[in-house]
Amino acid sequence: MRSPSLLTDWVLRLVTIGLLLLMSATASAQELQAEVDRRTISLNDTVTLTLRKSGRTLQGGPDFEPLRRHFDVLSNQRSHQMRIVNGDMQSWTEWRLTLSPKKPGTLIIPAFEFEGEQSQPIDITVEERQRDPERSGEELFIETELSKDSVYVQEQLLFTVRLYSQVNLDGAEMEPLEFENAMVTTVDENNFITQIDNRQHLVLEATFAIFPQESGTLEIPSRAYEVALSRGQRGPWGGNTRKRLRTESRQVEVRPTPSEFDGSTWLPARSLRLSEHWSKDPTNLKQGEPVTRRITLEAEGLAAAQLPELVLPQADGVTFYPDRPQTDEKTSAAGLQSTSTYTVAMVPNDSGRMTLPAIEVKWWDTQAEQMRTAEIPETRIQVAATPGSRSERQSNGGRREGDRQDPEGDGQAGPDSLPGQSDQSGWNLWHGLLLTLSLALLVLCLWLAYTGWRLKQELNAIHDLHREDLRRERIARSQAWQAIKQAAQKNDLKQLRQALLVWAQTNWPEDPPQGLTEIGQQIGSKRLRTQLADLDAALFRGNTDAVFDAKVLVKELNQWRVSHRSRSTPDSGLKPLYRSSQ
């Protein structure tokens, strides 16, 4: 039977390991991430930048002024969210900016710094003149694009479908893309406006990641697109005019696994990386004190299900407590990016120098067409002996002063072993168990108190952020309304349309309208819907000199704003425009 002190020591180790794993998972969530909806655009397009900050953000934000060197910032919106998953509270703040490039070329969205964290810079390719689709002279047409003409089996193939429209749409839906010999995932859906032959076109873009499962020829079948035209393009008997378009079928060569690859798992990826993080310096550890090691496998162009299961190396003299691997999968216009994170708590039982073997993952670089190896080299750890431990006693001569030896060598206890000691040992065992249970309950109470305090702090922070967001929204709405009046004063129809879209984003940030037709639907006024449709008709037909009185539109819209602020009827049927009275 273990002695009370040894049993207590092991319980304390397990409690400490659990807290280390918890703190490690919490710390890994603190980061600043930047992403864009597209990396290749034309000079007439816009790009949406989303910056996400994990954790609590009471006030302020990143400095976006460096963006203005290469981009015009058309809008800037901030939102704050919180959720609780399995007792773990997560909160984050997002900034969403709409950017318009100032010049063609490769433009850099710089790295942003905020509260000690830094995002990664992003390259944006801006084409001086967008490649005109073959059917650009039509009012409604479809274009498809493949990222490659040939891929390896299980390699990611990006298939993009773009619907171009010179007229307003009430809806558009594509027939589902399905395969018998390939896996398919929708990775990006985006709506934007571009100019082709000096005419504005609404573009509905959808990107799919296709993973062929067999070598040979992959047939991408033709898919039907059901489109509903909005007011102004109605049929003679009323209702929406519906049109049906089809994409062209495409073929892609799927090559088998190359003979040069000798890895255990076939991994065709654009990039694959291994990295590690230690909660303490591995060259300065102490015997009996736990340390957390986190190993991360990141891959671009692979689904999370394709990532291999890592076998973490072990070493003599160290006890390992691995946690379950955590996987994550992100989607963007560039495809899938998957991550597996392995967290293991380690307790060195011996002192001295130890070596953890290297970790290797072989993968196939689909861009360079060659096999590569991601590796974490072997790691040397140095463990210092705990004062009074057996390791230290052995290094000091093999025994401490006062230790008893068996002079006869027959295995019998020395004179310190007395008959009454068995009863005393039983009492000490129960005393040790009670002490251990008390310590465990104390740790649990402290953890619950800390969780409650943290939850209260988060809720207070969210309340403050909500008030600040309301103030910013009122300012943004006011600025957007001023821009509408200025555009109407100059009778600049293009600027007026853009100002109306920005104004709509400030009033319906959770579901911003993508066009003037959706703005009219949100407002619910028949007269305003008619005027907004007339404005779109003048712009989409390229006749910017058409007779259109912008001041009348602004006057009608202002009257609606005034009446909406004072309206308090609960069954009005309109979505809320303002979150609080102005």
Side-chain angles (χ1 to χ4, degrees):
M1 181 176 294
R2 298 180 183 270
S3 66
S5 59
L6 184 58
L7 185 60
T8 303
D9 181 61
W10 273 101
V11 172
L12 289 177
R13 285 187 183 184
L14 292 177
V15 172
T16 305
I17 289 168
L19 293 176
L20 278 173
L21 292 175
L22 177 64
M23 290 186 293
S24 175
T26 303
S28 63
Q30 303 296 320
E31 54 186 0
L32 188 65
Q33 296 180 337
E35 60 181 17
V36 293
D37 58 345
R38 293 179 297 154
R39 287 181 175 266
T40 301
I41 62 175
S42 72
L43 189 58
N44 298 321
D45 293 345
T46 60
V47 62
T48 300
L49 167 67
T50 302
L51 196 68
R52 177 170 176 169
K53 166 71 169 61
S54 300
R56 182 176 56 189
T57 303
L58 292 176
Q59 58 184 359
D63 181 14
F64 295 114
E65 193 62 29
L67 278 172
R68 302 186 185 276
R69 179 182 177 186
H70 298 310
F71 299 91
D72 291 321
V73 181
L74 303 181
S75 66
N76 182 359
Q77 299 176 345
R78 187 182 76 167
S79 63
H80 186 80
Q81 302 182 47
M82 183 188 73
R83 66 183 178 185
I84 299 178
V85 180
N86 297 328
D88 182 22
M89 183 168 50
Q90 302 174 358
S91 62
W92 63 90
T93 301
E94 279 190 353
W95 293 266
R96 186 180 295 268
L97 295 88
T98 302
L99 308 178
S100 175
K102 293 183 177 180
K103 60 181 182 180
T106 301
L107 306 184
I108 306 296
I109 293 180
F112 300 100
E113 294 185 3
F114 185 58
E115 294 185 350
E117 299 172 10
Q118 186 174 19
S119 65
Q120 296 295 323
I122 302 176
D123 295 341
I124 301 294
T125 301
V126 181
E127 300 175 349
E128 185 170 5
R129 180 187 178 95
Q130 178 170 323
R131 180 178 61 85
D132 292 342
E134 296 179 359
R135 302 168 61 186
S136 58
E138 303 180 15
E139 281 190 340
L140 199 66
F141 59 93
I142 290 180
E143 176 190 53
T144 61
E145 180 182 352
L146 287 171
S147 60
K148 286 186 173 184
D149 295 328
S150 66
V151 295
Y152 288 100
V153 63
Q154 297 183 357
E155 178 187 351
Q156 174 181 268
L157 171 69
L158 296 180
F159 177 61
T160 303
V161 181
R162 299 185 185 93
L163 172 66
Y164 293 83
S165 175
Q166 295 186 50
V167 297
N168 291 334
L169 304 177
D170 278 346
E173 184 175 356
M174 192 180 78
E175 186 180 357
L177 187 62
E178 298 177 347
F179 299 89
E180 293 183 359
N181 56 347
M183 305 295 293
V184 60
T185 301
T186 304
V187 294
D188 187 60
E189 292 181 331
N190 193 26
N191 303 337
F192 58 94
I193 294 177
T194 188
Q195 286 190 354
I196 302 175
D197 295 334
N198 295 323
R199 291 189 175 186
Q200 288 190 332
H201 289 70
L202 172 66
V203 184
L204 307 183
E205 182 181 77
T207 303
F208 305 88
I210 304 173
F211 296 87
Q213 300 300 303
E214 299 176 0
S215 59
T217 300
L218 175 67
E219 178 81 18
I220 301 179
S222 172
R223 298 287 89 182
Y225 227 130
E226 294 283 348
V227 181
L229 306 184
S230 63
R231 183 192 178 279
Q233 295 84 36
R234 296 182 185 271
W237 305 106
N240 292 339
T241 300
R242 302 189 69 86
K243 289 192 175 183
R244 185 181 179 91
L245 298 86
R246 297 196 70 89
T247 65
E248 59 178 331
S249 61
R250 306 288 293 269
Q251 289 186 343
V252 178
E253 177 191 359
V254 181
R255 292 177 284 176
T257 302
S259 58
E260 306 95 283
F261 185 78
D262 60 1
S264 58
T265 303
W266 170 238
L267 298 172
R270 287 200 310 270
S271 69
L272 191 143
R273 298 174 297 275
L274 274 175
S275 60
E276 66 173 343
H277 173 77
W278 292 80
S279 61
K280 299 178 183 178
D281 182 4
T283 62
N284 189 24
L285 304 180
K286 293 184 179 179
Q287 181 183 1
E289 292 188 3
V291 60
T292 300
R293 186 189 192 191
R294 187 171 65 247
I295 298 174
T296 303
L297 173 64
E298 301 175 87
E300 294 184 9
L302 290 177
Q306 293 178 273
L307 297 181
E309 183 176 353
L310 298 182
V311 178
L312 302 184
Q314 300 190 9
D316 295 336
V318 181
T319 304
F320 293 83
Y321 300 92
D323 197 6
R324 296 183 62 181
Q326 301 294 322
T327 60
D328 184 34
E329 190 176 84
K330 297 181 180 179
T331 61
S332 68
L336 291 177
Q337 180 177 356
S338 301
T339 303
S340 287
T341 302
Y342 295 78
T343 303
V344 56
M346 305 162 50
V347 179
N349 300 317
D350 297 333
S351 60
R353 180 176 298 177
M354 307 175 191
T355 301
L356 299 178
I359 303 175
E360 293 184 352
V361 175
K362 293 183 178 180
W363 61 286
W364 185 262
D365 189 335
T366 57
Q367 294 179 313
E369 297 279 346
Q370 65 181 22
M371 189 180 72
R372 297 187 185 275
T373 301
E375 180 184 16
I376 295 179
E378 65 177 15
T379 305
R380 291 183 174 85
I381 61 177
Q382 184 68 39
V383 182
T386 302
S389 66
R390 185 177 62 180
S391 299
E392 186 189 51
R393 293 199 306 269
Q394 290 175 348
S395 63
N396 289 334
R399 64 184 181 92
R400 293 180 299 175
E401 182 180 357
D403 286 349
R404 293 284 183 172
Q405 293 183 332
D406 180 12
E408 302 295 333
D410 57 0
Q412 299 296 321
D416 285 345
S417 178
L418 301 176
Q421 282 190 337
S422 59
D423 295 337
Q424 184 66 29
S425 298
W427 168 253
N428 290 339
L429 175 61
W430 284 108
H431 185 268
L433 290 174
L434 290 175
L435 177 61
T436 301
L437 181 60
S438 300
L439 289 174
L441 291 175
L442 176 61
V443 171
L444 178 62
C445 292
L446 291 175
W447 181 81
L448 291 175
Y450 168 74
T451 303
W453 172 82
R454 184 182 168 200
L455 179 60
K456 181 179 179 181
Q457 293 294 106
E458 290 286 349
L459 292 176
N460 291 337
I462 291 173
H463 178 69
D464 294 339
L465 282 171
H466 181 65
R467 295 177 57 185
E468 177 65 16
D469 287 344
L470 291 178
R471 186 185 71 85
R472 289 176 179 270
E473 289 174 4
R474 287 194 293 268
I475 294 175
R477 285 195 296 268
S478 176
Q479 293 175 345
W481 179 248
Q482 293 299 321
I484 291 175
K485 294 196 296 183
Q486 291 174 4
Q489 189 71 26
K490 296 184 294 184
N491 204 38
D492 188 335
L493 301 190
K494 289 185 178 180
Q495 184 177 346
L496 177 60
R497 189 182 192 280
Q498 183 64 42
L500 285 167
L501 291 174
V502 173
W503 173 81
Q505 290 176 352
T506 62
N507 288 285
W508 294 282
E510 296 180 355
D511 186 19
Q514 300 297 322
L516 299 188
T517 300
E518 294 187 20
I519 295 178
Q521 293 173 350
Q522 292 277 27
I523 291 176
S525 169
K526 183 177 180 180
R527 296 176 61 182
L528 280 172
R529 286 202 304 267
T530 302
Q531 293 187 28
L532 291 171
D534 292 341
L535 173 58
D536 252 348
L539 288 171
F540 278 119
R541 289 179 176 83
N543 185 13
T544 56
D545 297 328
V547 178
F548 181 83
D549 195 341
K551 296 181 181 179
V552 174
L553 171 62
V554 173
K555 181 179 179 181
E556 292 284 344
L557 187 58
N558 187 50
Q559 290 177 354
W560 179 84
R561 291 173 66 248
V562 173
S563 64
H564 187 84
R565 281 201 298 265
S566 59
R567 186 183 294 121
S568 58
T569 306
D571 58 350
S572 62
L574 292 174
K575 295 183 179 181
L577 177 61
Y578 301 108
R579 296 184 181 180
S580 60
S581 60
Q582 297 183 359

